[in-house]
Amino acid sequence: RSGISGAIMSSSPAEKASTLDPLATLSPSNLTGSPAWSASFSIDGKYLAVCFGNPDTHVKVWEHKIIHPDTNKPTASSASAVAKEEKMEWELIATIREDLTRTVRAVAFAPTSSTLSVPILATASFDGKVMIWEHYPDNNDDDHDYDNNDDNLEENSSYFEPIAQLEGHENEIKCLAWNATGSLLASCGRDKTIWIWECFLPGTVGGNETASNNPMLGNNEEDQGEFECLAVLQGHEGDIKSIVFGPSHSQWGEGEEVLYSASYDDTIKIWAEESGDWYCAATLGSTTFVPQSMPGAEEALPTIGGGPVHTSTVWSLGLTPGGVRLFSGSEDGSMAIWKMYTASERKRLFPRATNNNNAAVCSTDGLWNCVGKLPDAHSSYA
């Protein structure tokens, strides 16, 4: 059980807290002190990309493979069950250095690897550019000009080739986020803006086929994908640190998804789409509402302390799979748990929630409310 005031109650005094054990440690050589800024798994868990900063800025990509005991050779893993005698390992398949002139700050796989045979990777850097990379299974193509693999990789290892470069940010991009279908890509940064791009990726709806999908196509016939800026969102008073897409549940705007952003201004904003335009639907952080009525409640309603939820930069956001719980982590060492209420629930439970910084902008909008807070989740921030 989770207490609203922040204390976590165990269901049994003797119950021990769960622990997470590492499955693998990836320690690539020749990093020369370059910090790891960001990591991203492909949606099927088959690939892992990690970007490293100066003095040797680059991106490394690993593939999850099965080691067969009879041959001791790796093959690509799949969603099927792995036999007990088989082992799993992460194999370094590519190192991307080409066209990366400044430190890469964020990486994000498009959520298409389970539907396409070609993984798509987005990278963002301190120079304000977003690069889109397409994966190729081997580098034996004589026409390939991108030598982005480490010297110790096998001759038939994979490589990633840039297919698009998106520009617009004035300086450092801090985070990237794809929507659930890969049709939208959002980027945020130090210039206090969020850019939303409509993406027609190769092999997806709106995009053409690729040679990987259709062997009858030659490399010159491949569609490199199209990207169009849909919106530039402004409203935060500080650098924007984190963004994430989530379902709207028909509570904000007309679109199926909304975008959440966390900033150095200590707040979280919800951005929604209506009639093709994106707008700020709500700002979270300044007020916490206490329900005025709770049907079936046998205990007195909890008291939640007033004042802002976070008192410093909101560094990170996370959504539950259903999109009805939001988690935020702050520089003040706290973690907050937010719950989404529908418009009808807001009117019934929170009649005092009016049009202010934390309430709905429209009478038909829902409401995000802080329902729990761990004030000392961390003693310091990373």
Side-chain angles (χ1 to χ4, degrees):
R1 301 171 187 172
S2 174
I4 297 296
S5 61
I8 295 183
M9 306 289 291
S10 174
S11 58
S12 172
E15 183 179 348
K16 296 183 179 179
S18 300
T19 59
L20 296 176
D21 297 321
L23 298 177
T25 300
L26 307 179
S27 301
S29 59
N30 303 322
L31 284 183
T32 61
S34 298
W37 280 104
S38 175
S40 174
F41 282 98
S42 59
I43 194 171
D44 56 3
K46 183 179 178 180
Y47 298 96
L48 171 64
V50 181
C51 60
F52 297 88
N54 286 326
D56 182 21
T57 183
H58 63 282
V59 178
K60 291 187 181 296
V61 182
W62 286 266
E63 184 177 358
H64 205 198
K65 294 189 174 182
I66 304 171
I67 304 298
H68 297 279
D70 52 344
T71 63
N72 201 33
K73 293 182 178 180
T75 60
S77 63
S78 65
S80 59
V82 179
K84 291 183 178 180
E85 63 272 12
E86 295 176 337
K87 298 181 180 179
M88 303 293 296
E89 75 170 21
W90 288 93
E91 178 181 322
L92 180 64
I93 62 169
T95 299
I96 305 173
R97 285 193 174 89
E98 293 290 333
D99 297 321
L100 301 179
T101 59
R102 297 287 303 277
T103 292
V104 180
R105 190 65 175 82
V107 290
F109 274 108
T112 54
S113 57
S114 60
T115 56
L116 301 178
S117 59
V118 182
I120 302 294
L121 178 68
T123 62
S125 59
F126 274 67
D127 59 9
K129 297 178 181 178
V130 176
M131 299 289 295
I132 309 297
W133 305 80
E134 183 176 344
H135 175 256
Y136 289 81
D138 62 64
N139 62 4
N140 289 327
D141 184 359
D142 294 336
D143 295 331
H144 174 62
D145 294 328
Y146 294 91
D147 183 16
N148 60 11
N149 297 293
D150 280 348
D151 295 336
N152 61 348
L153 293 180
E154 296 182 5
E155 186 177 352
N156 62 347
S157 186
S158 306
Y159 66 92
F160 283 77
E161 183 167 323
I163 62 173
Q165 178 174 293
L166 312 180
E167 299 184 15
H169 284 281
E170 297 178 358
N171 39 44
E172 176 192 353
I173 298 174
K174 295 179 178 290
C175 187
L176 293 169
W178 295 91
N179 70 340
T181 61
S183 62
L184 297 178
L185 173 65
S187 59
C188 66
R190 181 172 293 178
D191 60 7
K192 307 175 186 178
T193 67
I194 301 171
W195 288 63
I196 299 180
W197 303 84
E198 186 174 20
C199 310
F200 301 99
L201 299 176
T204 63
V205 177
N208 295 327
E209 291 184 294
T210 68
S212 301
N213 302 92
N214 185 354
M216 299 301 292
L217 293 176
N219 288 335
N220 293 333
E221 299 178 90
E222 291 190 40
D223 174 57
Q224 298 297 296
E226 296 181 6
F227 303 85
E228 179 182 351
C229 179
L230 291 182
V232 179
L233 309 180
Q234 297 177 315
H236 278 294
E237 298 179 358
D239 301 9
I240 304 174
K241 179 65 177 178
S242 179
I243 48 177
V244 60
F245 278 100
S248 68
H249 294 290
S250 301
Q251 299 302 310
W252 289 273
E254 297 175 344
E256 296 181 355
E257 294 173 296
V258 292
L259 181 67
Y260 302 88
S261 61
S263 171
Y264 280 59
D265 62 14
D266 311 344
T267 68
I268 302 166
K269 288 186 180 295
I270 303 174
W271 307 87
E273 180 268 330
E274 188 163 354
S275 301
D277 295 325
W278 286 79
Y279 66 97
C280 182
T283 300
L284 315 181
S286 60
T287 308
T288 299
F289 296 105
V290 177
Q292 299 301 300
S293 63
M294 187 68 70
E298 298 178 356
E299 301 176 358
L301 294 175
T303 300
I304 305 177
V309 175
H310 292 300
T311 59
S312 190
T313 300
V314 184
W315 287 107
S316 181
L317 297 173
L319 273 174
T320 56
V324 294
R325 293 291 191 281
L326 176 71
F327 302 90
S328 57
S330 172
E331 184 182 6
D332 61 17
S334 69
M335 183 178 75
I337 301 96
W338 306 79
K339 180 181 177 180
M340 189 202 77
Y341 294 88
T342 65
S344 59
E345 289 174 330
R346 175 179 61 84
K347 294 175 182 178
R348 184 178 75 254
L349 300 176
F350 308 98
R352 297 180 182 178
T354 56
N355 290 344
N356 55 37
N357 287 336
N358 196 37
V361 173
C362 176
S363 61
T364 59
D365 284 351
L367 175 73
W368 277 99
N369 193 40
C370 180
V371 295
K373 186 176 179 181
L374 305 177
D376 299 313
H378 295 280
S379 57
S380 62
Y381 68 93

